[in-house]
Amino acid sequence: TGPAGKVMLMPESDPKTDYIMVATGTGIAPYRGFIRRLFVEDTPAAKAYQGEAWLFLGVANSDALLYDDEWQAALKSHPKNFRLDYAL
């Protein structure tokens, strides 16, 4: 890993691997990239992925929902593979 290795480590041996992500506030940034890699970008990982990625996002109030438009787009385009729950 690191500057000379892979950017994001994802299990490659089993495309049905489920991911559970828990973040609050700006801690969502790494998961945003992870979700984009799975559901937005045209990558081998995205094409092969068959599991469920479940994001728990905690924020102080509803106006602090970061990237909500991206989460909603992922839900719409991948309803069987992406799940989202908010803790307000």
Side-chain angles (χ1 to χ4, degrees):
T1 64
K6 291 187 175 187
V7 174
M8 190 172 295
L9 296 177
M10 302 172 83
E12 297 176 1
S13 60
D14 185 3
K16 294 182 180 181
T17 299
D18 294 327
Y19 304 112
I20 298 174
M21 301 162 279
V22 180
T24 58
T26 57
I28 193 62
Y31 297 127
R32 180 185 185 211
F34 198 79
I35 290 167
R36 289 179 61 84
R37 190 118 174 126
L38 284 176
F39 303 123
V40 178
E41 298 174 3
D42 185 21
T43 63
K47 290 177 183 173
Y49 189 61
Q50 299 171 22
E52 183 177 40
W54 192 354
L55 173 63
F56 291 90
L57 177 58
V59 294
N61 46 50
S62 60
D63 65 347
L65 291 173
L66 300 173
Y67 314 117
D68 190 55
D69 55 335
E70 294 181 26
W71 312 141
Q72 297 307 317
L75 281 169
K76 186 176 181 180
S77 64
H78 296 84
K80 294 182 180 180
N81 301 100
F82 183 59
R83 193 167 166 186
L84 172 66
D85 281 299
Y86 292 116
L88 296 174

